[in-house]
Amino acid sequence: DDVRHNGVLMLTDSYRFLSGMNTPPGHTPTEKMPPMSKRTRPDEWTFFREHATLAELTELQRPNPFWEELAEHSSYDAWWQARDLRRACYNVQPAVLVVGGTFDAEDCFGAWNLYRAMVRQSPATPCHLVVGPWAHGAWRNGSGKLGAFDFGREAAWEYYMEHFELPFFDHYLKGEGAADPLPAAAVFSSGDNRWHAFDRWTPREARKLTFYLSDGGRLETRRPTAKSSASAYTSDPADPVPYIESFGERRPKEYMLADQRFVSDRSDVLTFVTEPLDGDMTLAGPVDVELEVILSTTDADFVVRLIDVFPDDDPQSGCRMLVRGDVMRGRFRDGFSRPKAFTPGVPARVPFRMTDIAHTFRAGHRVMIQVQSTWFPLAERSPQQFVDVWTCGASDFVPCKVSVLHQRSNASSVTVWRLGES
């Protein structure tokens, strides 16, 4: 999570975090080390605009063996596979409690997918999943609030300790308490702000629901019928879409659910939205994206954001709450070990999976999908050409016209998992 999302370097987190991961020569592991994390002054936006290429950042990082190794392994090769914990969960003996946060910017992917690997590879091992509406580590000290949202008393750390962690250890360490201390999966949904218990994750009772991008910025559950239909934008790496409204020296944890209205006037962000919902809709599970695109260049990134649009009569009138966003490097559309250039002007399918969600869109709210190609400086910019991103120069970054198709034969969509009527 800290390093790559779907083939894209998470720039601001990687640069700051990995700069402190290596002990300088001449020191022993037990010495108290000076702070090593690189500063991004005067702010993230300015710093990464001034130091625009990975080649330049590599020079600023030296000596940093791990960062330098990253440059040599830009696809999912044996180096990455050896570091993939999902490949090494066989024959686990102790009971396991996997805990994570739906808004954990540092490890949003890990908890869900470690749990899946555990139950698949060590099916006889007791394994429980607990995921709350938390930022990184907030189950240890969080108040139940994040950014502009208050999820209530049951989202605070004390509730987690009393209802999940203590029963787990009482049962598996002391042999005390209930015979079944926890459900297989306990997940808190934002929106309606309550816990759900499931006998597995993804929930057995959840059903797929596909939203189709449609002409006129509509988001519909019916596949488009138009013979020819598309929405287009020009992605310019010199004018990237920001990921947050205002910038400091480091990435704020609240970006994971921040109001997205700050990009509403950008021409390089496509927006598709449903009509107001007639009733509550709880989504629980992964988010699968399938874009049908035509590029004017040989590569591009694709950022998709799932957003909850609040009605005008809500206390947070008009808020566009980010529920989940993620990025995909188009060259990996056929697999993360098999980069492939686009042919300009030729339609191509770009499928990818975003991290799981647990969120209730309340009656009167609308579901919004936004598509863009930069998310700066959270994610590195693509040169939008099929070149080595670790060695290319600033002149290799070029604008790209992106056409997102929403027609009968090439339908772009986002598929979620919906629980029964709330």
Side-chain angles (χ1 to χ4, degrees):
D1 280 319
D2 286 317
V3 180
R4 280 202 205 286
H5 286 205
N6 299 312
V8 179
L9 184 74
M10 302 309 286
L11 181 61
T12 183
D13 280 2
S14 294
Y15 183 78
R16 287 183 54 83
F17 180 63
L18 296 181
S19 64
M21 290 293 289
N22 290 272
T23 302
H27 294 272
T28 64
T30 57
E31 286 186 70
K32 182 176 176 58
M33 299 301 300
M36 294 177 60
S37 184
K38 301 290 187 181
R39 307 300 293 268
T40 52
R41 291 176 170 171
D43 57 66
E44 293 178 299
W45 180 268
T46 304
F47 178 86
F48 288 112
R49 292 294 295 272
E50 292 177 348
H51 305 284
T53 67
L54 293 185
E56 184 177 356
L57 294 175
T58 297
E59 292 304 313
L60 293 176
Q61 284 274 13
R62 293 188 194 278
N64 190 319
F66 187 79
W67 177 278
E68 292 164 34
E69 283 186 77
L70 283 177
E72 300 172 4
H73 301 280
S74 58
S75 62
Y76 184 66
D77 58 11
W79 186 85
W80 279 108
Q81 292 167 24
R83 290 158 174 78
D84 189 345
L85 191 60
R86 294 171 300 170
R87 298 163 54 89
C89 293
Y90 293 97
N91 302 315
V92 174
Q93 298 302 311
V96 176
L97 177 64
V98 180
V99 185
T102 44
F103 304 115
D104 182 345
E106 285 88 343
D107 196 13
C108 192
F109 175 92
W112 306 107
N113 291 288
L114 174 59
Y115 172 79
R116 286 189 173 102
M118 277 289 307
V119 298
R120 183 175 62 252
Q121 297 171 17
S122 293
T125 301
C127 185
H128 302 276
L129 174 70
V130 177
V131 180
W134 301 315
H136 193 59
W139 51 92
R140 291 291 183 190
N141 55 19
S143 66
K145 299 178 181 179
L146 182 60
F149 298 93
D150 185 346
F151 299 110
R153 182 186 66 84
E154 293 189 0
W157 73 271
E158 297 96 337
Y159 187 92
Y160 160 76
M161 288 290 183
E162 179 182 352
H163 290 84
F164 300 112
E165 188 163 306
L166 184 61
F168 175 82
F169 285 120
D170 278 348
H171 179 79
Y172 290 109
L173 289 183
K174 295 184 176 182
E176 300 175 357
D180 296 310
L182 300 176
V187 178
F188 188 100
S189 60
S190 48
D192 61 348
N193 298 345
R194 64 188 182 97
W195 286 98
H196 301 261
F198 304 109
D199 63 1
R200 72 176 189 184
W201 188 267
T202 302
R204 192 182 309 274
E205 54 269 45
R207 297 293 178 265
K208 285 186 178 181
L209 174 64
T210 298
F211 291 105
Y212 292 97
L213 282 52
S214 298
D215 188 42
R218 300 189 310 275
L219 189 63
E220 299 182 333
T221 56
R222 293 177 298 177
R223 188 179 181 90
T225 58
K227 184 177 180 180
S228 178
S229 182
S231 299
Y233 61 92
T234 297
S235 171
D236 185 355
D239 183 23
V241 180
Y243 79 96
I244 197 74
E245 186 168 16
S246 59
F247 292 92
E249 284 193 37
R250 57 192 310 160
R251 185 262 306 140
K253 59 187 177 182
E254 296 85 0
Y255 96 86
M256 293 286 289
L257 42 56
D259 191 338
Q260 301 297 294
R261 282 180 286 188
F262 65 95
V263 296
S264 59
D265 61 346
R266 291 191 64 109
S267 62
D268 52 358
V269 177
L270 299 181
T271 299
F272 303 87
V273 64
T274 65
E275 294 296 322
L277 299 176
D278 293 332
D280 289 359
M281 181 177 67
T282 299
L283 305 182
V287 180
D288 289 307
V289 176
E290 188 170 306
L291 298 179
E292 298 280 352
V293 302
I294 297 175
L295 305 185
S296 65
T297 61
T298 53
D299 198 15
D301 291 343
F302 300 93
V303 177
V304 174
R305 291 179 292 141
L306 173 63
I307 295 166
D308 184 344
V309 182
F310 287 55
D312 291 338
D313 60 358
D314 190 272
Q316 292 179 279
S317 174
C319 174
R320 295 182 176 183
M321 173 191 175
L322 182 62
V323 175
R324 181 65 74 235
D326 218 335
V327 57
M328 168 73 182
R329 179 139 293 166
R331 67 176 64 183
F332 294 115
R333 63 195 181 279
D334 288 344
F336 295 112
S337 301
R338 301 186 301 276
K340 177 183 176 182
F342 288 80
T343 301
V346 176
R349 175 176 171 268
V350 182
F352 67 100
R353 170 165 284 189
M354 298 204 290
T355 299
D356 299 58
I357 61 172
H359 181 77
T360 297
F361 291 79
R362 305 307 299 262
H365 290 224
R366 293 185 292 165
V367 181
M368 177 180 286
I369 298 292
Q370 291 190 319
V371 181
Q372 60 205 56
S373 288
T374 50
W375 209 20
F376 188 76
L378 182 69
E380 60 162 329
R381 295 170 298 164
S382 167
Q384 305 190 147
Q385 300 190 82
F386 194 71
V387 297
D388 186 342
V389 297
W390 286 92
T391 60
C392 69
S395 62
D396 292 309
F397 288 75
V398 299
C400 174
K401 181 181 178 181
V402 179
S403 295
V404 177
L405 307 179
H406 35 68
Q407 57 198 34
R408 184 171 61 233
S409 58
N410 305 89
S412 297
S413 65
V414 174
T415 298
V416 294
W417 291 84
R418 181 180 183 178
L419 296 179
E421 296 295 327
S422 300

